[in-house]
Amino acid sequence: MTSIAAGPTGTGDGGEPGKYPNRFRASGVKARHLRAHVLVVAWLVSALLAVAAPESLPVARWLAVHMFLLGAVTTAVLIWSEHFAVAMLHARIPDARWSAARLGTANLAVAGLLIGVWTAAPALTSVSATLLVAAAAAHLVMLVRLGRGALGGRLKPIVSYYRAATAALIAGAVLGGLLATGGAGGPDRYAGLRLAHIHVTLLGWIGLPVLGTLFMLWPTVLGVRMKDRTTKVSRWVLWLTGSGLLVAVAALALGRRWPAAAGLALYAEGAALAVNLLVRTVRGSRPVSAAAAWTLAVATCWLLIAVAADLAWLVARPLAAAQTGIDALLPVLLIGFVAQILIGALTYLLPVVLSSGPKDRAAVRAVLERGWLTRLVALNTGVVLTALPLPGPAATAGTLLAALPGAAFLALVVAVLVRSGRALSRDEGTDSASRRPPVWGTAAGVVLTVLAVLMANSGGDTDDQAVASATGGGAATATRTVDITLADMRISPARIEVAAGTALRLKITNDDAQRHDLKVEDGPATPMLAKGDTRVLEVGPVTENREAWCTLPGHRAAGMTMDIVVKGRDTAKDSGEHEGHASAADNAGLDLSADFSTGWRARDADLAPAPGGTVHKVELHAAHTTVEVAPGVRQQMWTFGGTAPGPTLRGKVGDVFEVTLVNDATGMGHGIDFHAGALAPDTPMRTLDPGERLVYRFRAEKAGAWLYHCSTAPMLQHMGNGMYGAVVIDPPGLPKVDHEYVLVSSELYLGTPGSTAQVTKMREGAPDAWVFNGVAGQYTQQPLKVKAGERARFWVVAAGPGDGIAFHVVGTVFDTVYKEGAHLLKPGQPGGSQVLDLAPAQGGFVETTFPGAGHYPFVDHNMRHAESGAHGMVEVSG
């Protein structure tokens, strides 16, 4: 009987302890493993070099993660999934040349991807992603063909884990290619695709083969028999994790949070079921390798913790915030789970495949297990420190604690590979040099290339007068470092003058409460910087005028720009006239007589009575929503609660409002300011990053019609794009009327929110329309309805952001006027009123009784405003 075990204490089909298959002990197979694991080591060394790169290279951290996952771990999974598939299916070993071709193609593709992203070469990135998909597809075909005609065994179902994982790699490569080449679309779609990419890679390509292999490897490491239920449980686990992952990834890619959470819950259930069986496998026997056993156990625990925390984030937060959550979990997944699984598996498996007998195996294992307990404790302490929200020094200490044990194990692996290579050469009767695998040179080249690129782009000498030799002679090129501050929607300094050829270094610090970044024209960019964050950009030699700006929507148009000017080349463009990149959109005229879309309904202007109780709890979600703002015209608006204006709040004097604001917007901060409350603005009116929330609590001490609006700068844009609403606080003794309406007047600016064209219109006070309750002319097509003789109260708030209103109802006279907390006119007085005039942010109400049936227009009596949308109709029936 041929065993399928991975070691001398494994179990075969019948459950008896067996020996490792003899066909894997051939010197040719050993040489293949040796060469392949040299590549794994090369990628790991490269990843460590990238981790050590300066913080001024933000892409270096991305490179480190992908060198580790795509380089080292992918190479290891390709090697061992083929290896275990052959063993568990009792299949013939695939042709060595085709195996080497698949592995080489995958590594070539990974190298191309890393270089393509590093150098911002979309064509190279796309070609490399396609090549990786091809290599993965070839690996999948090999795994499928192995099962045809093979004898199989009780662990045959585990090979399905490897097939599903390879399909996940293909999906991850496609998604990664889209993200890296700009094919992911807008920021909302980008967030979902990025989350899908992370989940399908970590939980699919890596998580699935790990769970499958543990069904066999775990009892083998422990030196015990597999449970009789292993085959049945393995099928259930694959069904739960595979289907759950499929649902989660598809839902994330489509931006659907709740289906994604449901899929992730299925995955978590499958992982928990697998761990339950593994725990029941543990007996009092002494493990074959305590180091491997403990490392694999701890790594599996981290997987469960990470999946549970990830699920909690998805349930509690929108996708934009879920990105923050998964980013916080990356140390747990990358180091706690993936790195430790790799360490644990190699600790046990390398002695099996590289040794020539029991004594040699014990000697190799002794090398790999040196100081294992200290390394295990240090690494996991580092994971905890990096995962918890601790101050910067603690996180740095955690990274160091995690990296040192990894580097130590890497050194031990190198020692084992060198030892095994020499032994293999002696066994074959050749000298070491002549039999040294050619891949050693390739691996050394990978490491040296990465090191050279990192050093070349790290900025070198930090002195401002660092020099570099010119091509044509020995002239020195000066390096100039400039401190840049981002604050108050401005970049300071706004202009930098340099001599031609100067190598420019920018040290950027965000001193603002909201996040910003800085992008240099045809040059590098920082990541998003929170308050207090600092990054260094190496712009390089400056030979022509360039511009830099914040890339957040609207920030560039609001003035967050900086000019980099070469002395002697100051042109009109350089001195501020750089608006040519986006032309201002003229108002070609809205057709307010056209029909609204099918199914459209006007916003309900009826104002409900103040609710009972003295404490009113409300949850408002800041979100970017596309709505119909004029007949047939749809526009993205920045909203509270999905509408512009936001929901109207109502209460009585002395009532308390507890408003929970949740920022569901992607890539943009928002805040809120309630004029009806008096309190220090520092905390409640602060800007919330995407996914954050706060509770704004205020007591309404004074009556009136109050404005609330977004408190984030530039407020002109946030309010101009719809982030405003009304709060009505009833004056004491307010009499009942037949109808109460609330009308919020504002300006409408069409165009892409935050674009230069739109912001130019805002600054010039040239809106496309003036509106009531966010939509031009809506109450002309769907009038307000009352009956003759009924009394109506119109609450009006002028939201602006630039214009007020002169509210007038044609055919009536107001007998009651209440403005800014005081009655100007009451019933019974001899006088009357024709308009309620309000400056921006003011509010009040007027009352009138409609004398007879007919149609009574209401307008902003600034006729330019009325004719451009600020009009409606009251339809009075007899």
Side-chain angles (χ1 to χ4, degrees):
M1 180 177 61
T2 304
S3 170
I4 58 171
T9 59
T11 57
D13 286 352
E16 309 92 344
K19 293 184 178 180
Y20 203 81
N22 289 333
R23 61 186 181 279
F24 289 125
R25 294 185 179 277
S27 61
V29 177
K30 288 184 183 179
R32 285 169 53 192
H33 272 282
L34 181 62
R35 289 192 294 268
H37 283 91
V38 168
L39 281 175
V40 174
V41 170
W43 284 119
L44 290 174
V45 172
S46 301
L48 286 174
L49 289 173
V51 168
E55 288 190 0
S56 58
L57 300 172
V59 76
R61 187 56 52 89
W62 182 94
L63 286 173
V65 171
H66 287 77
M67 286 172 180
F68 175 58
L69 292 179
L70 270 184
V73 177
T74 291
T75 300
V77 174
L78 290 173
I79 296 167
W80 289 104
S81 60
E82 176 181 325
H83 181 93
F84 285 129
V86 170
M88 286 181 281
L89 292 172
H90 298 286
R92 295 180 58 185
I93 298 176
D95 186 281
R97 291 169 298 177
W98 284 111
S99 295
R102 288 191 297 271
L103 191 62
T105 301
N107 277 268
L108 180 64
V110 171
L113 278 169
L114 299 178
I115 295 172
V117 172
W118 178 276
T119 59
L124 176 60
T125 303
S126 298
V127 170
S128 300
T130 303
L131 194 62
L132 181 59
V133 169
H139 186 74
L140 180 59
V141 170
M142 179 273 299
L143 292 173
V144 172
R145 286 182 173 177
L146 281 179
R148 295 178 179 173
L151 295 175
R154 65 183 296 193
L155 289 179
K156 179 180 178 181
I158 292 178
V159 180
S160 298
Y161 282 81
Y162 304 146
R163 295 166 182 157
T166 308
L169 173 60
I170 294 172
V174 172
L175 292 171
L178 290 173
L179 294 169
T181 57
D188 293 331
R189 183 166 173 77
Y190 181 92
L193 290 181
R194 180 174 180 266
L195 286 171
H197 169 67
I198 292 173
H199 283 80
V200 78
T201 302
L202 288 174
L203 301 185
W205 170 231
I206 299 171
L208 289 179
V210 166
L211 288 173
T213 302
L214 283 176
F215 285 113
M216 173 272 296
L217 185 60
W218 180 245
T220 304
V221 171
L222 293 180
V224 300
R225 296 178 181 274
M226 287 183 293
K227 290 288 185 182
D228 294 335
R229 301 172 53 236
T230 297
T231 301
K232 181 179 180 181
V233 171
S234 68
R235 288 194 175 99
W236 271 104
V237 171
L238 179 59
W239 187 89
L240 288 169
T241 54
S243 61
L245 184 66
L246 179 63
V247 171
V249 169
L252 288 171
L254 295 173
R256 300 290 184 261
R257 177 162 61 104
W258 290 110
L264 197 58
L266 278 178
Y267 188 98
E269 183 179 355
L273 183 61
V275 170
N276 179 64
L277 179 66
L278 299 181
V279 170
R280 293 176 180 271
T281 305
V282 177
R283 290 292 182 268
S285 61
R286 183 178 180 180
V288 176
S289 171
W294 278 102
T295 305
L296 292 173
V298 174
T300 307
C301 290
W302 280 122
L303 172 63
L304 289 181
I305 292 171
V307 172
D310 187 21
L311 178 59
W313 269 95
L314 271 180
V315 170
R317 297 286 189 271
L319 289 185
Q323 284 197 105
T324 305
I326 195 66
D327 288 344
L329 289 173
L330 281 179
V332 173
L333 284 166
L334 294 178
I335 306 172
F337 168 54
V338 180
Q340 286 198 109
I341 281 289
L342 189 64
I343 291 172
L346 293 182
T347 298
Y348 182 82
L349 294 172
L350 284 181
V352 172
V353 297
L354 297 180
S355 62
S356 57
K359 290 184 178 180
D360 189 33
R361 185 183 309 120
V364 172
R365 183 167 293 136
V367 173
L368 293 175
E369 292 184 355
R370 288 174 186 168
W372 71 268
L373 185 57
T374 301
R375 288 188 278 113
L376 183 71
V377 172
L379 189 148
N380 285 280
T381 302
V383 173
V384 172
L385 290 176
T386 54
L388 293 176
L390 298 174
T396 302
T399 302
L400 187 61
L401 273 175
L404 288 178
F409 180 75
L410 187 58
L412 296 175
V413 171
V414 171
V416 165
L417 293 178
V418 171
R419 178 184 184 279
S420 299
R422 290 173 178 171
L424 183 63
S425 297
R426 288 195 301 269
D427 292 342
E428 295 182 354
T430 60
D431 65 277
S432 176
S434 64
R435 291 296 299 169
R436 185 174 293 116
V439 77
W440 279 102
T442 304
V446 169
V447 174
L448 292 175
T449 299
V450 171
L451 181 61
V453 173
L454 290 171
M455 293 299 293
N457 290 277
S458 65
D461 191 353
T462 58
D463 293 336
D464 284 354
Q465 296 302 319
V467 295
S469 297
T471 303
T477 302
T479 296
R480 181 182 173 192
T481 299
V482 179
D483 290 328
I484 304 296
T485 302
L486 311 177
D488 302 322
M489 299 304 297
R490 291 292 181 268
I491 301 175
S492 179
R495 178 184 174 93
I496 300 172
E497 291 189 5
V498 297
T502 299
L504 183 61
R505 178 184 299 125
L506 303 179
K507 184 178 180 182
I508 300 110
T509 300
N510 182 19
D511 282 345
D512 209 348
Q514 61 178 309
R515 299 194 308 165
H516 298 290
D517 65 354
L518 188 71
K519 163 68 179 173
V520 178
E521 181 181 2
D522 298 326
T526 71
M528 284 296 162
L529 305 178
K531 184 175 182 179
D533 286 352
T534 297
R535 288 292 186 276
V536 175
L537 287 186
E538 297 292 340
V539 179
V542 179
T543 58
E544 58 185 13
N545 299 338
R546 297 160 90 173
E547 187 184 3
W549 62 89
C550 177
T551 66
L552 279 175
H555 288 203
R556 182 181 187 182
M560 287 200 74
T561 61
M562 177 180 72
D563 291 315
I564 302 172
V565 178
V566 176
K567 292 180 179 179
R569 301 183 189 176
D570 194 1
T571 65
K573 176 182 183 298
D574 303 316
S575 58
E577 298 177 12
H578 45 260
E579 298 292 340
H581 59 270
S583 60
D586 295 330
N587 179 10
L590 297 172
D591 185 2
L592 299 180
S593 64
D595 292 331
F596 283 91
S597 300
T598 302
W600 172 87
R601 293 187 62 83
R603 178 187 173 109
D604 189 358
D606 288 313
L607 180 62
T614 58
V615 177
H616 311 295
K617 296 184 177 181
V618 180
E619 184 166 290
L620 291 179
H621 289 255
H624 298 176
T625 308
T626 299
V627 297
E628 192 164 2
V629 295
V633 178
R634 295 180 63 80
Q635 164 87 6
Q636 186 192 83
M637 303 295 289
W638 301 347
T639 68
F640 290 117
T643 61
T648 299
L649 310 183
R650 190 173 192 181
K652 298 179 180 179
V653 174
D655 285 358
V656 173
F657 290 81
E658 289 187 3
V659 181
T660 300
L661 176 65
V662 183
N663 186 4
D664 287 345
T666 300
M668 178 176 291
H670 291 297
I672 200 164
D673 175 7
F674 286 95
H675 289 195
L679 70 172
D682 305 62
T683 299
M685 300 182 197
R686 70 182 186 275
T687 296
L688 301 182
D689 285 333
E692 291 187 335
R693 62 172 56 207
L694 64 74
V695 176
Y696 190 125
R697 191 176 190 274
F698 68 92
R699 184 182 299 276
E701 301 285 3
K702 302 291 183 180
W706 305 90
L707 177 69
Y708 70 85
H709 60 85
C710 185
S711 58
T712 297
M715 278 182 256
L716 174 63
Q717 292 183 43
H718 286 251
M719 294 177 68
N721 278 299
M723 302 200 79
Y724 54 83
V727 177
V728 172
I729 305 300
D730 293 352
L734 184 69
K736 291 184 178 181
V737 292
D738 297 304
H739 296 277
E740 282 190 279
Y741 302 107
V742 61
L743 299 171
V744 181
S745 70
S746 63
E747 301 144 32
L748 175 64
Y749 295 93
L750 300 179
T752 303
S755 66
T756 299
Q758 189 201 49
V759 174
T760 298
K761 290 189 287 185
M762 290 181 181
R763 288 177 171 175
E764 294 175 351
D768 295 277
W770 286 263
V771 298
F772 288 116
N773 288 347
V775 181
Q778 61 178 322
Y779 299 116
T780 298
Q781 297 206 21
Q782 293 187 8
L784 309 181
K785 296 185 177 182
V786 302
K787 293 181 179 179
E790 289 185 332
R791 187 169 183 81
R793 178 182 295 134
F794 294 88
W795 293 86
V796 184
V797 174
D803 291 334
I805 185 175
F807 180 73
H808 172 69
V809 180
V810 179
T812 67
V813 173
F814 303 139
D815 61 14
T816 302
V817 177
Y818 181 90
K819 176 181 175 182
E820 285 297 282
H823 275 93
L824 303 184
L825 181 65
K826 289 186 176 182
Q829 294 179 339
S833 175
Q834 53 197 318
V835 296
L836 174 61
D837 59 318
L838 301 172
Q842 288 189 325
F845 68 79
V846 290
E847 296 178 8
T848 190
T849 300
F850 292 92
H855 293 83
Y856 296 75
F858 60 88
V859 298
D860 178 347
H861 217 281
N862 181 321
M863 287 297 114
R864 186 166 68 103
H865 300 177
E867 293 169 1
S868 297
H871 60 260
M873 186 70 66
V874 180
E875 185 178 290
V876 181
S877 59

